[in-house]
Amino acid sequence: MQKDTLVFDLINKELDRQRNGIELIASENFTSLQVMQAMGTVPTNKYAEGYPGKRYYGGCEVVDEIETLAIERLKKVFNCSWANVQPHSGAQANGAVFLAVMKPGEKFLGLDLSMGGHLTHGSPANFSGKTYHALHYGVTKDGIVDYEQLEAIARSEKPKMIICGASAYSRDWDYKRIRAVADEIGAVVFADIAHPAGLIAAGLLNDPFDHCHIVSSTTHKTLRGPRGGIIMLRHDFENPWALKDPKGNLRMMSSLLDLAVFPGTQGGPLEHVIAAKAVAFGEILDGSFKAYGQQVIANAQAMAKALVARGYQLISGGTDNHLMLIDLRNKNLTGKKAQETLDKAHITLNKNAVPFDDKSPFVTSGIRIGVPAVTTRGMKEADMETVVSMIDKVLMNADDEAVIASVKIEVREFMQQFPLYPELG
Ligand code: DSN
């Protein structure tokens, strides 16, 4: 069979784009070569609906071993007692959590999308907002989660589930405080740690497992694995609201979550991706991952400092994690204009609504910047100063094509110091 050069040429073009640009999208990262190699392998040919030892197809003995290895490694990464590695994405993982915990129309409480939350935390455009009764808390004028508002809504509305976690929030979470109010009203606390998961795995941020009943994540952000989702429990528990099993016993949450992933919301698992998840979890356990996490936080703080020194306004004034959210209104720029202009110089980030934004989500007043990917490339604190100086040059000359073109060349030269997948030639 002839090689499909049309597709492989485009893949090589994407490799070239990744190699020569500065990647600052907070939710992106670069996996190791062996994580990618595992993804492009023969388990993709295998149907394995069900779970290890309980499949609906023959010939699953090897994928059973792969999936069991991924589960056992993940349990070690987060010191938890149960894990499901089948969700195809973070949104799928969250869909399964909803299915396991909630009935349609029931109330839950999550961070508003416009305040840094995620689509699956109750956006009216998402299944979570369409199927269930979404209530929202926000952040204060200082950009910190408004725990008083969260507690007040929880006490008056008595939601069945409270979600903590965000897509554009640069501070750590007070999981203990959220659990305390949840216990008052008998709610389940669900932490979506998709963004900071790697920093939590490295022991550098508060541990949600101490206080949250259920934890979900993606695997491709700070965890540096393949694109996918996971769900975990440190302590399994009986779900008092769920239908009883045929013998009249309450079901354990682990069993409800397994059922909610398959057959509840997914069919056959992607065993080739699960193999790659196992490789990534192995890399996290190999001892050097903590240093990566520490460097991510050091880089984020160096970048925040360099931005503030140039007059950029950071929501909440700084960062505890891998990202920062910048309000560009004092620079007379929209998020859309900033993203599009930086793209031309091959500096990639995303426009983002800031809390209390007066612009539409398609325009926005802000940008989100994250450092996990550039840290994987090998950048250190001093490099953050260089990156910020290039960002500033582009944004302060947003209508000057010559300046933007010159920065694009600078970016390309700068990135030669940080090779990406040299093995791929
Ligand atoms: N879209 C992801 C992000 O960029 O944060 C969240 O799912």
Side-chain angles (χ1 to χ4, degrees):
M1 201 173 58
Q2 259 192 336
K3 188 168 178 185
D4 189 338
T5 49
L6 200 54
V7 174
F8 283 96
D9 285 353
L10 286 171
I11 291 170
N12 282 331
K13 204 167 157 185
E14 173 60 11
L15 172 61
D16 199 51
R17 188 195 71 79
Q18 292 186 13
R19 276 180 171 159
N20 294 311
I22 299 178
E23 183 52 71
L24 297 173
I25 292 178
S27 47
E28 294 191 11
N29 212 327
F30 300 106
T31 71
S32 69
L33 197 58
Q34 63 168 351
V35 165
M36 281 199 298
Q37 283 166 339
M39 264 186 285
T41 54
V42 293
T44 193
N45 298 329
K46 188 74 197 94
Y47 247 119
E49 284 177 356
Y51 290 100
K54 289 170 286 183
R55 305 282 191 184
Y56 287 83
Y57 293 82
C60 287
E61 60 276 13
V62 183
V63 293
D64 275 6
E65 285 189 55
I66 292 173
E67 190 167 333
T68 302
L69 187 58
I71 291 168
E72 291 309 315
R73 286 184 178 176
L74 178 58
K75 281 160 58 178
K76 275 196 201 128
V77 167
F78 286 107
N79 184 23
C80 53
S81 65
W82 172 90
N84 186 309
V85 295
Q86 290 193 4
H88 302 331
S89 69
Q92 290 287 117
N94 292 356
V97 173
F98 272 96
L99 191 65
V101 176
M102 311 266 301
K103 295 188 187 74
E106 287 185 332
K107 291 178 185 171
F108 73 98
L109 178 58
L111 180 62
D112 202 308
L113 181 62
S114 68
M115 298 273 176
H118 187 252
L119 269 177
T120 57
H121 301 178
S123 159
N126 182 260
F127 81 90
S128 54
K130 287 182 192 291
T131 314
Y132 306 98
H133 182 156
L135 302 161
H136 287 118
Y137 57 93
V139 298
T140 63
K141 291 279 174 211
D142 295 330
I144 307 291
V145 162
D146 191 339
Y147 291 98
E148 281 179 20
Q149 183 192 32
L150 184 158
E151 287 161 345
I153 299 173
R155 288 185 183 118
S156 64
E157 298 282 346
K158 303 203 171 19
K160 190 170 184 183
M161 181 164 80
I162 302 177
I163 308 181
C164 34
S167 277
Y169 185 61
S170 63
R171 295 299 182 180
D172 204 353
W173 286 77
D174 190 344
Y175 302 110
K176 189 175 179 187
R177 185 165 175 180
I178 295 174
R179 175 63 183 261
V181 71
D183 282 349
E184 277 180 38
I185 60 165
V188 166
V189 183
F190 164 35
D192 175 349
I193 60 167
H195 265 268
L199 303 178
I200 292 166
L204 301 167
L205 292 175
N206 292 335
D207 184 352
F209 291 91
D210 282 342
H211 307 288
C212 303
H213 299 92
I214 306 173
V215 178
S216 77
S217 182
T218 53
T219 44
H220 49 274
K221 297 186 177 89
T222 45
L223 284 178
R224 222 159 48 170
R227 195 159 287 279
I230 44 178
I231 309 174
M232 296 154 287
L233 301 174
R234 180 166 288 165
H235 307 289
D236 202 357
F237 61 101
E238 288 176 336
N239 183 350
W241 310 287
L243 287 177
K244 295 187 173 166
D245 71 14
K247 289 183 187 151
N249 298 317
L250 287 171
R251 290 181 193 266
M252 298 306 284
M253 184 51 80
S254 55
S255 134
L256 291 165
L257 287 165
D258 272 342
L259 286 167
V261 174
F262 172 82
T265 51
Q266 291 190 173
L270 310 176
E271 292 294 343
H272 57 304
V273 177
I274 290 172
K277 287 175 179 172
V279 174
F281 302 149
E283 289 174 353
I284 293 169
L285 292 168
D286 87 356
S288 59
F289 194 78
K290 183 164 187 158
Y292 167 69
Q294 285 166 331
Q295 192 61 54
V296 166
I297 291 179
N299 283 352
Q301 289 180 359
M303 179 165 281
K305 199 169 156 206
L307 285 162
V308 169
R310 285 172 175 76
Y312 289 90
Q313 287 185 342
L314 268 56
I315 303 300
S316 86
T319 180
D320 297 329
N321 57 27
H322 60 297
L323 68 80
M324 58 218 78
L325 191 57
I326 300 157
D327 187 338
L328 291 169
R329 283 177 284 199
N330 68 327
K331 299 282 186 184
N332 291 321
L333 279 167
T334 64
K336 181 173 190 283
K337 175 80 177 173
Q339 178 190 308
E340 288 173 358
T341 313
L342 287 162
D343 239 350
K344 290 187 204 166
H346 222 148
I347 298 172
T348 315
L349 46 67
N350 61 286
K351 64 180 180 229
N352 213 106
V354 294
F356 314 104
D357 209 325
D358 53 348
K359 299 196 179 63
S360 86
F362 299 102
V363 178
T364 79
S365 297
I367 49 174
R368 185 184 67 165
I369 299 188
V371 299
V374 291
T375 306
T376 298
R377 293 288 296 263
M379 289 194 197
K380 301 278 190 293
E381 290 93 316
D383 303 308
M384 297 300 106
E385 173 62 35
T386 309
V387 170
V388 169
S389 74
M390 290 193 273
I391 291 173
D392 190 47
K393 198 162 161 189
V394 171
L395 294 184
M396 293 305 99
N397 297 280
D399 293 312
D400 187 332
E401 295 298 331
V403 172
I404 296 166
S406 76
V407 177
K408 185 177 180 178
I409 294 166
E410 268 180 66
V411 166
R412 197 183 178 92
E413 279 167 7
F414 179 62
M415 292 315 291
Q416 303 316 303
Q417 298 169 63
F418 308 103
L420 182 65
Y421 307 127
E423 306 88 338
L424 296 180

